Amino acid sequence: MTTIDPEARQGEDAEQSEREGKTRGKWPLYGVGAGVLGGVATLLADVRTGTDGRETVDASVTAEVERSVAHLGLVAGFLTVALLLVLAAAWRRQVEPRVPGSTAAYVVSGALTASAAGLTYGYGWKGALAIYLPGGMDEQSFREDGLFVYFMLNDFGGFIGWLGVVVAAGAVAWMALRERTISRWIGWFSILPVLAVVLFAGLTGLPGFQGVVGPAWMLVAFSGLAWGRSTIVR
């Protein structure tokens, strides 16, 4: 019969725990990356930039759209979608088994996946402009009125899909303030995008303010998870 050295076994267990700890400490960086790239894709690569001074918007506005901006929005946007999906998978693997009784924890992964699905369309419409505008791969495929349809789809296309992320923020706030499995400051901070979206939608009907606050929330909240002391990552 083979005898296992207790000290060797303890050493192996310690190494395994250290490896798992490093993994748990790194996965929130997917959220940080999604926040940064999402801000680029949604705000910096907004195809409407430069057209705000117009009193009226008609099909001629497409002549003022920069194809490179639309292309950047597609690339950064699709990378954002990929990171949201990886983050959702990492959350399911790292967090949900640790808090099996938390409904809010399961809401987070589902909400991130929902945003990834919606944003795939929003950022895809940026890519459509990139290939159909002059200089694009399929220029001449659409006339000015056809390009205008894609321009209007981009009005809120890259913004509306962030609603799932704001729902995730609400779930994180619940986990922090009610269940105490996340640092409380992250919970208080997570309430802000939820209130902002509810107020803007309720008072004005604005459907896309989540595209403004969602990337910023992800950057700050998941930075706090990556370098903080929340229970779900310890």
Side-chain angles (χ1 to χ4, degrees):
M1 179 179 296
T2 303
T3 303
I4 299 176
D5 186 354
E7 293 184 358
R9 181 59 180 272
Q10 289 177 359
E12 292 176 359
D13 291 343
E15 290 179 2
Q16 182 177 355
S17 297
E18 183 179 356
R19 287 195 299 269
E20 292 177 352
K22 289 180 179 179
T23 301
R24 285 196 295 269
K26 290 179 180 178
W27 66 262
L29 295 178
Y30 296 126
V32 176
V36 173
L37 288 172
V40 171
T42 304
L43 303 175
L44 294 184
D46 188 347
V47 299
R48 302 169 302 169
T49 301
T51 66
D52 295 337
R54 280 176 164 251
E55 293 183 3
T56 58
V57 178
D58 54 32
S60 65
V61 75
T62 58
E64 302 174 22
V65 177
E66 294 287 341
R67 195 190 75 84
S68 59
V69 172
H71 192 179
L72 173 63
L74 170 77
V75 174
F78 277 8
L79 289 173
T80 301
V81 168
L83 285 173
L84 285 173
L85 291 172
V86 174
L87 176 63
W91 183 279
R92 285 193 296 269
R93 181 171 182 265
Q94 301 290 346
V95 178
E96 291 173 7
R98 303 190 69 182
V99 286
S102 172
T103 300
Y106 292 92
V107 169
V108 173
S109 58
L112 294 174
T113 303
S115 268
L119 291 173
T120 300
Y121 288 97
Y123 296 136
W125 289 326
K126 290 179 185 283
L129 270 179
I131 65 171
Y132 293 136
L133 283 169
M137 181 177 66
D138 290 329
E139 63 175 330
Q140 309 295 334
S141 294
F142 289 99
R143 294 184 302 178
E144 192 178 71
D145 54 349
L147 290 174
F148 187 56
V149 172
Y150 280 111
F151 178 83
M152 291 306 298
L153 287 172
N154 276 281
D155 188 30
F156 283 110
F159 290 79
I160 294 173
W162 284 92
L163 181 60
V165 167
V166 173
V167 172
V172 166
W174 180 270
M175 293 176 68
L177 302 177
R178 180 70 174 178
E179 299 174 354
R180 306 294 178 88
T181 54
I182 294 176
S183 297
R184 296 192 70 186
W185 74 265
I186 296 178
W188 289 115
F189 177 75
S190 297
I191 291 176
L192 299 180
V194 177
L195 291 178
V197 170
V198 169
L199 288 175
F200 271 95
L203 296 178
T204 70
L206 183 68
F209 196 66
Q210 56 268 24
V212 177
V213 297
W217 173 76
M218 292 205 71
L219 174 60
V220 175
F222 282 93
S223 292
L225 288 174
W227 290 289
R229 297 178 57 83
S230 297
T231 300
I232 62 170
V233 293
R234 284 210 300 266

